[in-house]
Amino acid sequence: NVPIFPGCEGSEEELKTCFQENITNFLAKNFTSALAKSLGLKPGLKKIFVMFKIDKEGNITDVQARAPHKALQDEAIRVVSSLPKMLPGKYKGETVGVKYSLPIAFKVD
């Protein structure tokens, strides 16, 4: 079973959709997108790749990021690290850590 974002309910499929929507909304609300403009990056679509783990207790751990600029990398790590505690994933009834990879895409004008 997948980790559950706080407040999500329903079938396995509904939980996955709710998890994805909540992560996306959380990032959109908390990521300082103006940062990209202040860094003088060339216009176009930019991507940040974030990897993290939801551990057996539901905490966000082992956050790593790869971005076109160190400041964007640090911002992605800050935001993902501040995600709320989740209900951990389960495998055969046992709580397990689950690794995630999350691309963040944004446009620089």
Side-chain angles (χ1 to χ4, degrees):
N1 299 20
V2 296
I4 301 171
F5 198 94
C8 290
E9 296 176 346
S11 68
E12 190 78 8
E13 200 54 45
E14 289 169 326
L15 289 173
K16 282 182 184 178
T17 301
C18 182
F19 180 88
Q20 194 64 45
E21 288 172 355
N22 278 290
I23 295 263
T24 301
N25 292 338
F26 186 90
L27 290 174
K29 201 182 300 175
N30 295 288
F31 191 84
T32 310
S33 53
L35 178 64
K37 292 183 180 112
S38 70
L39 296 173
L41 296 174
K42 291 181 181 175
L45 189 65
K46 305 295 176 198
K47 285 189 179 180
I48 302 171
F49 297 95
V50 184
M51 286 78 62
F52 64 97
K53 183 177 177 182
I54 299 172
D55 70 12
K56 291 181 182 184
E57 284 80 46
N59 299 307
I60 307 299
T61 62
D62 301 335
V63 183
Q64 299 174 320
R66 200 173 72 234
H69 192 284
K70 173 105 172 76
L72 291 172
Q73 193 171 303
D74 293 343
E75 177 65 1
I77 291 170
R78 181 193 71 78
V79 173
V80 171
S81 295
S82 70
L83 282 164
K85 187 171 181 156
M86 315 275 174
L87 276 174
K90 291 186 176 185
Y91 180 71
K92 295 183 180 178
E94 297 282 320
T95 57
V96 293
V98 180
K99 290 185 179 183
Y100 277 93
S101 181
L102 181 70
I104 303 173
F106 58 95
K107 195 172 189 177
V108 176
D109 295 329

